[in-house]
Coordinates of all heavy atoms in Angstrom, one line a residue:
M1 N 46.6 -44.0 -39.5 CA 45.8 -42.9 -39.3 C 44.4 -43.3 -38.8 O 43.7 -44.0 -39.5 CB 45.8 -42.0 -40.5 CG 45.1 -40.7 -40.3 SD 45.0 -39.6 -41.7 CE 46.6 -38.9 -41.6
R2 N 43.9 -42.7 -37.7 CA 42.6 -43.1 -37.2 C 41.6 -42.2 -37.8 O 41.7 -41.0 -37.9 CB 42.7 -42.9 -35.7 CG 41.5 -43.6 -35.0 CD 41.7 -43.5 -33.5 NE 40.9 -42.3 -33.1 CZ 40.8 -42.0 -31.8 NH1 41.3 -42.7 -30.9 NH2 40.0 -41.0 -31.5
Q3 N 40.5 -42.8 -38.2 CA 39.4 -42.0 -38.8 C 38.5 -41.4 -37.7 O 38.2 -42.1 -36.7 CB 38.5 -42.8 -39.7 CG 39.2 -43.1 -41.0 CD 38.3 -43.8 -42.0 OE1 37.3 -44.5 -41.5 NE2 38.5 -43.7 -43.3
Q4 N 38.0 -40.2 -37.9 CA 37.1 -39.6 -36.9 C 35.7 -40.1 -37.2 O 35.3 -40.3 -38.3 CB 37.1 -38.1 -37.1 CG 38.4 -37.4 -36.7 CD 38.7 -37.6 -35.3 OE1 37.8 -37.5 -34.4 NE2 39.9 -37.8 -34.9
P5 N 34.9 -40.3 -36.1 CA 33.5 -40.7 -36.3 C 32.7 -39.6 -37.0 O 33.1 -38.4 -36.8 CB 33.0 -41.0 -34.9 CG 33.9 -40.2 -34.0 CD 35.2 -40.2 -34.7
P6 N 31.6 -39.9 -37.7 CA 30.8 -38.9 -38.3 C 30.2 -38.0 -37.2 O 29.9 -38.5 -36.1 CB 29.7 -39.6 -39.1 CG 29.7 -41.0 -38.5 CD 31.1 -41.3 -37.9
P7 N 30.0 -36.7 -37.5 CA 29.4 -35.9 -36.5 C 28.0 -36.3 -36.2 O 27.2 -36.8 -37.0 CB 29.3 -34.5 -37.2 CG 29.5 -34.7 -38.6 CD 30.2 -36.1 -38.8
S8 N 27.6 -36.1 -34.9 CA 26.3 -36.5 -34.5 C 25.3 -35.5 -34.9 O 25.6 -34.3 -35.0 CB 26.2 -36.8 -33.0 OG 26.5 -35.6 -32.3
R9 N 24.0 -35.9 -35.0 CA 23.0 -34.9 -35.4 C 22.3 -34.5 -34.1 O 22.0 -35.3 -33.3 CB 22.0 -35.6 -36.3 CG 22.6 -35.9 -37.7 CD 21.6 -36.5 -38.6 NE 22.3 -36.8 -39.9 CZ 21.6 -37.3 -40.9 NH1 20.3 -37.5 -40.8 NH2 22.3 -37.6 -42.0
S10 N 22.0 -33.2 -34.1 CA 21.3 -32.7 -32.9 C 19.8 -33.0 -32.9 O 19.2 -32.9 -31.9 CB 21.6 -31.2 -32.7 OG 21.1 -30.5 -33.8
R11 N 19.3 -33.2 -34.1 CA 17.8 -33.5 -34.2 C 17.6 -34.6 -35.2 O 18.4 -34.7 -36.1 CB 17.1 -32.3 -34.5 CG 17.4 -31.7 -35.9 CD 16.6 -30.4 -36.1 NE 17.2 -29.7 -37.2 CZ 16.6 -29.7 -38.4 NH1 15.5 -30.3 -38.7 NH2 17.2 -29.0 -39.4
A12 N 16.5 -35.3 -35.0 CA 16.2 -36.3 -36.0 C 15.7 -35.6 -37.2 O 14.9 -34.7 -37.1 CB 15.1 -37.2 -35.4
S13 N 16.1 -36.1 -38.4 CA 15.7 -35.4 -39.6 C 15.1 -36.5 -40.6 O 15.7 -37.6 -40.6 CB 16.9 -34.7 -40.2 OG 16.6 -34.0 -41.3
P14 N 14.2 -36.2 -41.3 CA 13.3 -35.0 -41.3 C 12.3 -35.1 -40.2 O 11.8 -36.2 -39.8 CB 12.7 -35.0 -42.6 CG 12.7 -36.4 -43.0 CD 13.8 -37.1 -42.4
S15 N 11.9 -33.9 -39.6 CA 11.0 -33.9 -38.5 C 9.6 -33.2 -38.9 O 8.8 -33.1 -38.1 CB 11.6 -33.2 -37.4 OG 11.9 -31.8 -37.7
K16 N 9.5 -32.8 -40.2 CA 8.3 -32.3 -40.7 C 8.1 -32.6 -42.1 O 9.1 -33.0 -42.8 CB 8.2 -30.7 -40.4 CG 9.3 -29.9 -41.1 CD 9.2 -28.5 -40.7 CE 10.2 -27.7 -41.5 NZ 10.1 -26.2 -41.2
P17 N 6.9 -32.4 -42.7 CA 6.7 -32.7 -44.1 C 7.7 -31.9 -45.0 O 8.1 -30.8 -44.8 CB 5.3 -32.3 -44.4 CG 4.6 -32.4 -43.1 CD 5.7 -32.0 -42.1
I18 N 8.1 -32.6 -46.1 CA 9.0 -32.0 -47.1 C 8.1 -31.5 -48.3 O 7.2 -32.2 -48.8 CB 10.0 -33.1 -47.6 CG1 10.8 -33.5 -46.4 CG2 10.8 -32.5 -48.8 CD1 11.6 -34.8 -46.7
R19 N 8.4 -30.3 -48.7 CA 7.7 -29.7 -49.8 C 8.6 -29.8 -51.1 O 9.7 -29.4 -51.1 CB 7.4 -28.2 -49.6 CG 6.4 -28.0 -48.5 CD 6.1 -26.6 -48.3 NE 7.3 -25.8 -47.9 CZ 7.3 -24.5 -47.9 NH1 6.3 -23.8 -48.2 NH2 8.4 -23.9 -47.5
L20 N 8.0 -30.5 -52.1 CA 8.7 -30.7 -53.4 C 8.0 -29.8 -54.3 O 6.9 -30.0 -54.7 CB 8.6 -32.2 -53.8 CG 9.4 -32.6 -55.0 CD1 10.9 -32.3 -54.9 CD2 9.1 -34.1 -55.3
V21 N 8.7 -28.7 -54.6 CA 8.1 -27.6 -55.4 C 8.5 -27.8 -56.9 O 9.6 -28.0 -57.3 CB 8.6 -26.2 -55.0 CG1 8.0 -25.1 -55.8 CG2 8.2 -26.0 -53.5
L22 N 7.4 -27.7 -57.8 CA 7.6 -27.8 -59.2 C 7.2 -26.5 -59.8 O 6.0 -26.1 -59.6 CB 6.8 -29.0 -59.8 CG 6.8 -30.3 -59.1 CD1 5.9 -31.3 -59.7 CD2 8.2 -30.8 -59.1
P23 N 8.0 -25.9 -60.6 CA 7.6 -24.6 -61.2 C 6.9 -24.8 -62.5 O 7.0 -23.9 -63.4 CB 9.0 -23.9 -61.4 CG 9.9 -25.0 -61.6 CD 9.5 -26.1 -60.8
F24 N 6.1 -25.8 -62.6 CA 5.3 -26.1 -63.8 C 3.9 -26.6 -63.5 O 3.7 -26.9 -62.3 CB 6.0 -27.3 -64.6 CG 7.5 -27.0 -64.9 CD1 8.5 -27.6 -64.2 CD2 7.8 -26.0 -65.9 CE1 9.8 -27.4 -64.5 CE2 9.2 -25.7 -66.1 CZ 10.2 -26.4 -65.4
T25 N 3.1 -26.6 -64.5 CA 1.7 -27.0 -64.3 C 1.6 -28.5 -64.0 O 2.5 -29.3 -64.5 CB 0.8 -26.6 -65.5 OG1 1.4 -27.2 -66.6 CG2 0.7 -25.1 -65.7
P26 N 0.5 -29.0 -63.4 CA 0.4 -30.4 -63.2 C 0.2 -31.1 -64.5 O -0.4 -30.5 -65.5 CB -0.9 -30.5 -62.4 CG -1.0 -29.2 -61.7 CD -0.5 -28.2 -62.7
G27 N 0.6 -32.3 -64.6 CA 0.4 -33.1 -65.8 C 1.6 -33.2 -66.8 O 1.6 -34.0 -67.7
G28 N 2.6 -32.3 -66.6 CA 3.7 -32.3 -67.5 C 4.8 -33.4 -67.1 O 4.6 -34.1 -66.1
G29 N 5.8 -33.4 -67.8 CA 6.9 -34.4 -67.5 C 7.5 -34.3 -66.1 O 7.7 -35.3 -65.5
T30 N 7.8 -33.1 -65.7 CA 8.4 -32.9 -64.4 C 7.4 -33.3 -63.3 O 7.8 -33.9 -62.3 CB 8.8 -31.5 -64.2 OG1 9.6 -31.1 -65.3 CG2 9.6 -31.3 -62.9
D31 N 6.1 -33.0 -63.5 CA 5.1 -33.4 -62.5 C 4.9 -34.9 -62.4 O 4.8 -35.4 -61.3 CB 3.7 -32.7 -62.9 CG 2.6 -33.0 -61.9 OD1 2.8 -32.5 -60.8 OD2 1.7 -33.7 -62.2
I32 N 5.0 -35.6 -63.5 CA 4.9 -37.0 -63.5 C 6.1 -37.6 -62.8 O 5.9 -38.5 -62.0 CB 4.7 -37.6 -65.0 CG1 3.4 -37.1 -65.6 CG2 4.9 -39.1 -65.0 CD1 3.3 -37.3 -67.1
L33 N 7.3 -37.1 -63.1 CA 8.5 -37.6 -62.4 C 8.3 -37.4 -60.9 O 8.7 -38.3 -60.1 CB 9.7 -36.8 -62.9 CG 11.0 -37.1 -62.2 CD1 11.4 -38.6 -62.4 CD2 12.1 -36.2 -62.7
A34 N 7.9 -36.2 -60.5 CA 7.7 -35.9 -59.0 C 6.8 -36.9 -58.4 O 7.0 -37.4 -57.3 CB 7.3 -34.5 -58.8
R35 N 5.7 -37.2 -59.0 CA 4.7 -38.1 -58.5 C 5.1 -39.5 -58.4 O 4.7 -40.3 -57.6 CB 3.4 -37.9 -59.2 CG 2.8 -36.5 -58.9 CD 1.5 -36.2 -59.6 NE 1.2 -34.8 -59.5 CZ 0.8 -34.2 -58.4 NH1 0.6 -34.9 -57.3 NH2 0.6 -32.9 -58.4
K36 N 6.1 -39.9 -59.3 CA 6.7 -41.2 -59.2 C 7.8 -41.2 -58.1 O 8.0 -42.2 -57.5 CB 7.4 -41.6 -60.5 CG 6.4 -41.8 -61.6 CD 5.9 -43.2 -61.6 CE 5.1 -43.5 -62.9 NZ 4.5 -44.8 -62.8
L37 N 8.5 -40.1 -57.9 CA 9.6 -40.0 -57.0 C 9.1 -39.9 -55.5 O 9.7 -40.4 -54.6 CB 10.4 -38.8 -57.4 CG 11.7 -38.5 -56.6 CD1 12.7 -39.6 -56.7 CD2 12.3 -37.1 -57.0
A38 N 8.0 -39.1 -55.3 CA 7.5 -38.8 -54.0 C 7.3 -40.1 -53.1 O 7.8 -40.1 -51.9 CB 6.3 -38.0 -54.0
P39 N 6.7 -41.1 -53.5 CA 6.5 -42.3 -52.6 C 7.8 -42.9 -52.2 O 8.0 -43.3 -51.0 CB 5.7 -43.3 -53.5 CG 5.0 -42.4 -54.5 CD 5.9 -41.3 -54.8
S40 N 8.8 -42.9 -53.1 CA 10.1 -43.5 -52.7 C 10.8 -42.6 -51.6 O 11.4 -43.1 -50.7 CB 11.0 -43.6 -53.9 OG 10.5 -44.6 -54.8
M41 N 10.7 -41.3 -51.8 CA 11.2 -40.3 -50.9 C 10.6 -40.5 -49.5 O 11.2 -40.5 -48.5 CB 11.0 -38.9 -51.3 CG 11.9 -38.5 -52.5 SD 11.5 -36.8 -53.1 CE 12.1 -35.9 -51.7
Q42 N 9.2 -40.6 -49.5 CA 8.5 -40.8 -48.3 C 8.9 -42.1 -47.5 O 9.1 -42.0 -46.3 CB 7.0 -40.9 -48.5 CG 6.4 -39.6 -48.9 CD 4.9 -39.6 -49.3 OE1 4.3 -38.6 -49.4 NE2 4.3 -40.8 -49.5
Q43 N 9.1 -43.1 -48.3 CA 9.5 -44.4 -47.7 C 10.9 -44.3 -47.1 O 11.1 -44.7 -46.0 CB 9.4 -45.5 -48.7 CG 9.7 -46.9 -48.1 CD 9.6 -48.0 -49.2 OE1 9.7 -47.7 -50.4 NE2 9.4 -49.2 -48.7
R44 N 11.8 -43.8 -47.8 CA 13.2 -43.7 -47.4 C 13.4 -42.7 -46.3 O 14.3 -42.9 -45.4 CB 14.1 -43.4 -48.6 CG 14.2 -44.4 -49.6 CD 15.1 -44.1 -50.7 NE 15.8 -45.3 -51.0 CZ 17.0 -45.3 -51.5 NH1 17.7 -44.2 -51.7 NH2 17.6 -46.5 -51.8
L45 N 12.7 -41.6 -46.3 CA 12.9 -40.6 -45.3 C 12.0 -40.7 -44.1 O 12.2 -40.0 -43.1 CB 12.7 -39.2 -46.0 CG 13.7 -38.9 -47.1 CD1 13.3 -37.6 -47.8 CD2 15.1 -38.8 -46.5
G46 N 10.9 -41.5 -44.3 CA 10.0 -41.6 -43.2 C 9.2 -40.4 -42.9 O 8.8 -40.1 -41.7
Q47 N 8.9 -39.6 -43.9 CA 8.2 -38.3 -43.7 C 7.4 -38.1 -45.0 O 7.7 -38.5 -46.1 CB 9.2 -37.2 -43.5 CG 8.6 -35.9 -43.1 CD 7.8 -36.0 -41.8 OE1 6.5 -36.0 -41.9 NE2 8.4 -36.1 -40.7
S48 N 6.3 -37.4 -44.8 CA 5.4 -37.0 -45.9 C 6.1 -36.1 -46.9 O 6.9 -35.2 -46.5 CB 4.2 -36.3 -45.4 OG 3.4 -37.1 -44.6
V49 N 5.9 -36.3 -48.2 CA 6.4 -35.4 -49.2 C 5.2 -34.8 -50.0 O 4.4 -35.5 -50.5 CB 7.3 -36.2 -50.2 CG1 7.7 -35.3 -51.4 CG2 8.5 -36.7 -49.5
V50 N 5.1 -33.5 -49.9 CA 3.9 -32.8 -50.5 C 4.4 -32.1 -51.7 O 5.4 -31.3 -51.7 CB 3.4 -31.7 -49.5 CG1 2.2 -30.9 -50.1 CG2 3.0 -32.4 -48.2
I51 N 3.7 -32.4 -52.8 CA 4.1 -31.8 -54.1 C 3.3 -30.5 -54.3 O 2.1 -30.5 -54.1 CB 3.8 -32.8 -55.3 CG1 4.7 -34.0 -55.1 CG2 4.0 -32.1 -56.6 CD1 4.3 -35.1 -56.1
E52 N 4.0 -29.4 -54.6 CA 3.4 -28.1 -54.8 C 3.8 -27.6 -56.2 O 4.9 -27.4 -56.5 CB 3.9 -27.1 -53.8 CG 3.5 -27.4 -52.4 CD 3.9 -26.3 -51.4 OE1 4.1 -25.1 -51.8 OE2 4.0 -26.6 -50.2
N53 N 2.8 -27.5 -57.1 CA 3.0 -26.9 -58.4 C 2.9 -25.4 -58.3 O 1.9 -24.9 -57.8 CB 2.0 -27.5 -59.4 CG 2.2 -28.9 -59.6 OD1 1.6 -29.7 -58.9 ND2 2.9 -29.3 -60.6
K54 N 3.9 -24.7 -58.7 CA 3.9 -23.2 -58.7 C 4.4 -22.7 -60.1 O 5.5 -22.3 -60.3 CB 4.8 -22.7 -57.6 CG 4.3 -23.1 -56.3 CD 4.8 -22.1 -55.2 CE 4.2 -22.4 -53.9 NZ 2.9 -22.0 -53.7
P55 N 3.5 -22.9 -61.1 CA 3.8 -22.5 -62.5 C 3.9 -21.0 -62.8 O 3.3 -20.3 -62.0 CB 2.7 -23.2 -63.3 CG 1.5 -23.2 -62.4 CD 2.1 -23.4 -61.0
G56 N 4.5 -20.7 -63.9 CA 4.5 -19.3 -64.4 C 5.9 -18.7 -64.5 O 6.8 -19.1 -63.8
G57 N 6.0 -17.7 -65.3 CA 7.2 -16.9 -65.5 C 8.4 -17.7 -65.9 O 9.5 -17.5 -65.5
N58 N 8.2 -18.7 -66.8 CA 9.3 -19.6 -67.3 C 10.0 -20.2 -66.1 O 11.2 -20.2 -66.1 CB 10.2 -18.8 -68.2 CG 9.6 -18.4 -69.5 OD1 8.8 -19.2 -70.0 ND2 9.9 -17.2 -69.9
A59 N 9.3 -20.7 -65.2 CA 9.8 -21.4 -64.0 C 10.3 -20.5 -62.9 O 10.8 -20.9 -61.8 CB 10.9 -22.4 -64.3
R60 N 10.2 -19.2 -63.1 CA 10.8 -18.2 -62.2 C 9.9 -18.1 -60.9 O 10.5 -17.9 -59.8 CB 10.8 -16.8 -62.8 CG 11.8 -16.7 -63.9 CD 11.7 -15.3 -64.5 NE 12.6 -15.3 -65.7 CZ 13.3 -14.2 -65.9 NH1 13.3 -13.2 -65.1 NH2 14.1 -14.2 -67.0
I61 N 8.6 -18.3 -61.0 CA 7.8 -18.2 -59.8 C 8.1 -19.3 -58.8 O 8.3 -19.0 -57.6 CB 6.3 -18.2 -60.2 CG1 6.0 -16.9 -60.9 CG2 5.4 -18.3 -58.9 CD1 4.6 -16.8 -61.5
G62 N 8.1 -20.5 -59.2 CA 8.5 -21.6 -58.3 C 9.9 -21.6 -57.8 O 10.2 -21.8 -56.7
A63 N 10.8 -21.2 -58.7 CA 12.2 -21.1 -58.3 C 12.4 -20.0 -57.3 O 13.1 -20.2 -56.3 CB 13.1 -20.9 -59.5
N64 N 11.8 -18.9 -57.5 CA 11.9 -17.8 -56.5 C 11.3 -18.1 -55.2 O 11.8 -17.8 -54.1 CB 11.2 -16.5 -57.1 CG 11.5 -15.3 -56.2 OD1 12.7 -15.0 -55.9 ND2 10.5 -14.6 -55.9
Y65 N 10.2 -18.9 -55.2 CA 9.5 -19.4 -54.0 C 10.5 -20.2 -53.2 O 10.6 -20.0 -51.9 CB 8.3 -20.2 -54.4 CG 7.5 -20.8 -53.2 CD1 6.7 -20.0 -52.4 CD2 7.7 -22.1 -52.9 CE1 6.0 -20.6 -51.4 CE2 7.0 -22.7 -51.8 CZ 6.2 -21.9 -51.1 OH 5.5 -22.5 -50.0
V66 N 11.2 -21.1 -53.8 CA 12.2 -21.9 -53.1 C 13.4 -21.1 -52.6 O 13.9 -21.3 -51.5 CB 12.6 -23.1 -54.0 CG1 13.7 -23.9 -53.3 CG2 11.4 -24.0 -54.2
A67 N 13.8 -20.2 -53.5 CA 15.0 -19.4 -53.1 C 14.7 -18.6 -51.9 O 15.6 -18.3 -51.1 CB 15.3 -18.4 -54.3
K68 N 13.5 -18.1 -51.7 CA 13.1 -17.3 -50.5 C 12.6 -18.1 -49.3 O 12.4 -17.6 -48.2 CB 12.0 -16.3 -50.9 CG 12.4 -15.4 -52.1 CD 13.6 -14.6 -51.9 CE 13.9 -13.7 -53.1 NZ 15.2 -13.8 -53.7
A69 N 12.5 -19.4 -49.5 CA 12.1 -20.3 -48.4 C 13.2 -20.4 -47.4 O 14.4 -20.2 -47.7 CB 11.7 -21.7 -48.9
E70 N 12.8 -20.8 -46.2 CA 13.8 -21.0 -45.1 C 14.8 -22.1 -45.6 O 14.4 -23.1 -46.0 CB 13.2 -21.3 -43.8 CG 14.1 -21.4 -42.6 CD 13.4 -21.5 -41.3 OE1 12.2 -21.2 -41.2 OE2 14.1 -22.0 -40.4
P71 N 16.1 -21.8 -45.5 CA 17.1 -22.8 -45.9 C 17.3 -24.0 -44.9 O 18.3 -24.2 -44.4 CB 18.3 -22.0 -46.1 CG 18.2 -20.9 -45.1 CD 16.7 -20.6 -45.0
D72 N 16.2 -24.7 -44.6 CA 16.2 -25.8 -43.7 C 16.2 -27.2 -44.3 O 16.2 -28.2 -43.6 CB 15.1 -25.6 -42.7 CG 13.7 -25.6 -43.3 OD1 13.6 -25.8 -44.6 OD2 12.7 -25.4 -42.6
G73 N 16.2 -27.2 -45.6 CA 16.2 -28.5 -46.3 C 14.8 -29.2 -46.5 O 14.7 -30.3 -47.0
Y74 N 13.8 -28.5 -46.1 CA 12.4 -29.0 -46.2 C 11.7 -28.5 -47.4 O 10.5 -29.0 -47.7 CB 11.6 -28.7 -44.9 CG 12.1 -29.5 -43.7 CD1 13.0 -29.0 -42.8 CD2 11.7 -30.8 -43.6 CE1 13.5 -29.7 -41.8 CE2 12.1 -31.6 -42.5 CZ 13.0 -31.0 -41.6 OH 13.5 -31.8 -40.5
T75 N 12.2 -27.6 -48.1 CA 11.6 -27.1 -49.4 C 12.6 -27.4 -50.5 O 13.7 -26.9 -50.5 CB 11.3 -25.6 -49.3 OG1 10.5 -25.4 -48.2 CG2 10.6 -25.2 -50.6
I76 N 12.2 -28.3 -51.4 CA 13.1 -28.7 -52.5 C 12.5 -28.3 -53.8 O 11.3 -28.5 -54.1 CB 13.3 -30.3 -52.4 CG1 13.9 -30.7 -51.1 CG2 14.2 -30.8 -53.6 CD1 13.8 -32.2 -50.8
L77 N 13.4 -27.9 -54.7 CA 12.9 -27.5 -56.1 C 13.3 -28.6 -57.0 O 14.4 -29.1 -57.1 CB 13.7 -26.2 -56.5 CG 13.3 -25.7 -57.9 CD1 11.9 -25.3 -58.0 CD2 14.3 -24.6 -58.3
L78 N 12.3 -29.1 -57.8 CA 12.5 -30.1 -58.8 C 12.2 -29.4 -60.1 O 11.0 -29.0 -60.4 CB 11.6 -31.3 -58.7 CG 11.7 -32.4 -59.7 CD1 13.1 -32.9 -59.8 CD2 10.7 -33.5 -59.5
T79 N 13.2 -29.1 -60.9 CA 13.0 -28.3 -62.1 C 13.9 -28.8 -63.3 O 14.6 -29.7 -63.1 CB 13.3 -26.8 -61.9 OG1 12.9 -26.0 -63.0 CG2 14.7 -26.6 -61.5
T80 N 13.7 -28.2 -64.4 CA 14.6 -28.4 -65.5 C 15.7 -27.4 -65.5 O 15.7 -26.5 -64.7 CB 13.8 -28.3 -66.9 OG1 13.3 -27.0 -67.0 CG2 12.7 -29.3 -66.9
N81 N 16.6 -27.5 -66.4 CA 17.7 -26.5 -66.4 C 17.3 -25.1 -66.8 O 18.0 -24.1 -66.6 CB 18.9 -27.0 -67.3 CG 18.4 -27.1 -68.8 OD1 17.3 -27.0 -69.1 ND2 19.4 -27.4 -69.6
G82 N 16.1 -24.9 -67.3 CA 15.6 -23.6 -67.8 C 15.6 -22.6 -66.7 O 15.8 -21.4 -67.0
A83 N 15.2 -22.9 -65.5 CA 15.1 -22.0 -64.4 C 16.5 -21.4 -64.1 O 16.5 -20.2 -63.5 CB 14.5 -22.6 -63.2
F84 N 17.5 -22.0 -64.4 CA 18.9 -21.6 -64.0 C 19.7 -21.1 -65.2 O 20.5 -20.2 -65.1 CB 19.6 -22.6 -63.3 CG 18.9 -23.0 -62.0 CD1 18.4 -24.3 -61.8 CD2 18.8 -22.1 -61.0 CE1 17.7 -24.6 -60.7 CE2 18.1 -22.4 -59.8 CZ 17.6 -23.7 -59.6
T85 N 19.6 -21.8 -66.3 CA 20.5 -21.5 -67.5 C 19.8 -20.7 -68.6 O 20.5 -19.9 -69.2 CB 21.0 -22.8 -68.1 OG1 19.9 -23.6 -68.6 CG2 21.8 -23.6 -67.1
I86 N 18.5 -20.8 -68.7 CA 17.8 -20.0 -69.8 C 17.2 -18.8 -69.3 O 17.2 -17.7 -69.9 CB 16.8 -21.0 -70.5 CG1 17.5 -22.1 -71.1 CG2 16.0 -20.2 -71.5 CD1 16.6 -23.2 -71.7
A87 N 16.5 -18.8 -68.1 CA 15.8 -17.7 -67.5 C 16.6 -16.4 -67.5 O 16.0 -15.3 -67.8 CB 15.2 -18.1 -66.2
P88 N 17.9 -16.4 -67.1 CA 18.6 -15.2 -67.1 C 18.7 -14.5 -68.4 O 19.0 -13.3 -68.5 CB 20.0 -15.6 -66.6 CG 19.8 -16.8 -65.8 CD 18.7 -17.5 -66.6
F89 N 18.5 -15.2 -69.5 CA 18.7 -14.6 -70.9 C 17.4 -14.3 -71.5 O 17.5 -13.6 -72.6 CB 19.5 -15.6 -71.7 CG 20.9 -15.9 -71.2 CD1 21.2 -17.1 -70.5 CD2 21.9 -15.0 -71.3 CE1 22.4 -17.3 -70.0 CE2 23.2 -15.2 -70.8 CZ 23.4 -16.4 -70.1
I90 N 16.3 -14.6 -71.0 CA 15.0 -14.2 -71.6 C 14.2 -13.5 -70.5 O 14.1 -14.0 -69.4 CB 14.3 -15.4 -72.2 CG1 14.0 -16.5 -71.1 CG2 15.0 -16.0 -73.3 CD1 13.1 -17.6 -71.6
G91 N 13.6 -12.5 -70.8 CA 12.7 -11.8 -69.9 C 13.4 -11.1 -68.8 O 12.8 -10.8 -67.8
G92 N 14.7 -10.8 -68.9 CA 15.4 -10.0 -67.9 C 15.9 -10.9 -66.8 O 15.7 -12.1 -66.8
R93 N 16.5 -10.3 -65.8 CA 17.2 -11.0 -64.7 C 16.1 -11.6 -63.8 O 15.2 -10.9 -63.4 CB 18.0 -10.0 -64.0 CG 18.9 -10.6 -62.9 CD 19.8 -9.5 -62.3 NE 20.5 -10.1 -61.2 CZ 21.3 -9.4 -60.5 NH1 21.6 -8.1 -60.8 NH2 21.9 -10.0 -59.5
P94 N 16.3 -12.9 -63.4 CA 15.3 -13.5 -62.4 C 15.5 -12.8 -61.0 O 16.5 -12.3 -60.7 CB 15.7 -14.9 -62.4 CG 16.9 -15.1 -63.3 CD 17.3 -13.8 -63.8
P95 N 14.4 -12.9 -60.2 CA 14.5 -12.4 -58.9 C 15.3 -13.2 -57.9 O 15.2 -13.0 -56.7 CB 13.0 -12.3 -58.5 CG 12.4 -13.4 -59.2 CD 13.1 -13.5 -60.5
Y96 N 16.1 -14.1 -58.3 CA 16.9 -15.0 -57.5 C 18.3 -15.1 -58.2 O 18.4 -14.9 -59.4 CB 16.3 -16.3 -57.3 CG 15.9 -17.0 -58.6 CD1 16.8 -17.8 -59.3 CD2 14.6 -16.9 -59.1 CE1 16.4 -18.4 -60.5 CE2 14.2 -17.5 -60.3 CZ 15.2 -18.2 -61.0 OH 14.8 -18.8 -62.1
D97 N 19.3 -15.5 -57.4 CA 20.6 -15.7 -57.9 C 20.8 -17.2 -58.0 O 20.8 -17.9 -56.9 CB 21.7 -15.1 -57.0 CG 23.1 -15.3 -57.5 OD1 23.5 -16.4 -57.8 OD2 23.8 -14.2 -57.5
S98 N 20.9 -17.7 -59.2 CA 21.0 -19.2 -59.4 C 22.1 -19.9 -58.6 O 21.9 -21.0 -58.2 CB 21.2 -19.5 -60.9 OG 20.1 -19.0 -61.6
L99 N 23.2 -19.2 -58.4 CA 24.3 -19.8 -57.6 C 24.2 -19.6 -56.1 O 24.3 -20.6 -55.4 CB 25.6 -19.3 -58.1 CG 25.9 -19.6 -59.6 CD1 27.3 -19.0 -60.0 CD2 26.0 -21.1 -59.8
K100 N 23.9 -18.4 -55.7 CA 23.9 -18.1 -54.3 C 22.6 -18.6 -53.5 O 22.7 -19.1 -52.4 CB 24.1 -16.6 -54.1 CG 25.4 -16.1 -54.5 CD 25.5 -14.6 -54.2 CE 26.9 -14.1 -54.7 NZ 27.0 -12.7 -54.7
D101 N 21.5 -18.4 -54.2 CA 20.2 -18.7 -53.5 C 19.9 -20.2 -53.4 O 19.0 -20.6 -52.6 CB 19.0 -18.0 -54.2 CG 19.1 -16.5 -54.0 OD1 19.7 -16.0 -53.0 OD2 18.5 -15.8 -54.8
F102 N 20.6 -21.0 -54.1 CA 20.3 -22.5 -54.1 C 21.5 -23.3 -53.6 O 21.7 -24.4 -53.9 CB 19.9 -22.9 -55.5 CG 18.6 -22.3 -55.9 CD1 18.6 -21.2 -56.7 CD2 17.4 -22.9 -55.5 CE1 17.4 -20.6 -57.1 CE2 16.2 -22.3 -55.9 CZ 16.2 -21.1 -56.7
S103 N 22.5 -22.6 -52.9 CA 23.6 -23.3 -52.4 C 23.5 -23.5 -50.9 O 22.9 -22.7 -50.2 CB 24.9 -22.4 -52.7 OG 25.1 -22.2 -54.0
R104 N 24.1 -24.5 -50.5 CA 24.1 -24.8 -49.1 C 25.2 -24.0 -48.4 O 26.4 -24.1 -48.9 CB 24.3 -26.3 -48.8 CG 24.3 -26.7 -47.4 CD 24.3 -28.2 -47.3 NE 24.5 -28.5 -45.9 CZ 24.9 -29.6 -45.4 NH1 25.1 -30.6 -46.3 NH2 25.1 -29.8 -44.2
S105 N 25.0 -23.4 -47.3 CA 26.0 -22.6 -46.7 C 26.9 -23.6 -45.9 O 26.5 -24.6 -45.4 CB 25.4 -21.6 -45.6 OG 24.6 -20.7 -46.3
P106 N 28.3 -23.3 -45.9 CA 29.2 -24.2 -45.2 C 29.0 -24.1 -43.8 O 28.5 -23.3 -43.2 CB 30.6 -23.7 -45.7 CG 30.4 -22.3 -46.2 CD 28.9 -22.2 -46.6

């Protein structure tokens, strides 16, 4: 059986800076992780990685920001499980759907 070649890409990726969104304040564990991770991402992807802290609402503000961003792969959420597993049970329903808003469309 002959294997098919991988599909070609129509554009070079990434072609613009990547936003790494953290739904927490600067200086916490997730922020420290992001600042250690960003240089490796920049080197491997050949593109700038900008860290954006969007704290508040038990991670809902940052998660909602990413959920509403254009689904082009340039806005990435780095969070703990709280934004998806705990937030729906405290403080009412979040303004995003944890499964639908963060899934890649086929």
Side-chain angles (χ1 to χ4, degrees):
M1 184 180 275
R2 195 174 99 173
Q3 288 185 332
Q4 295 292 325
S8 63
R9 295 182 181 182
S10 60
R11 63 183 167 104
S13 187
S15 60
K16 62 182 183 179
I18 297 165
R19 293 184 297 170
L20 187 58
V21 178
L22 310 176
F24 306 106
T25 57
T30 308
D31 185 65
I32 293 168
L33 175 65
R35 293 180 192 284
K36 293 275 191 183
L37 183 65
S40 296
M41 289 176 66
Q42 288 178 167
Q43 183 179 22
R44 292 181 140 212
L45 299 173
Q47 191 55 257
S48 297
V49 175
V50 179
I51 297 171
E52 293 184 24
N53 295 86
K54 297 205 175 283
N58 293 321
R60 292 173 186 225
I61 292 173
N64 190 51
Y65 177 80
V66 173
K68 305 302 183 235
E70 188 171 339
D72 58 5
Y74 289 96
T75 304
I76 300 170
L77 178 67
L78 179 62
T79 188
T80 62
N81 63 352
F84 299 114
T85 60
I86 298 170
F89 298 102
I90 57 173
R93 185 176 174 180
Y96 52 85
D97 184 309
S98 299
L99 297 176
K100 293 179 183 174
D101 291 340
F102 295 93
S103 298
R104 182 176 170 194
S105 298

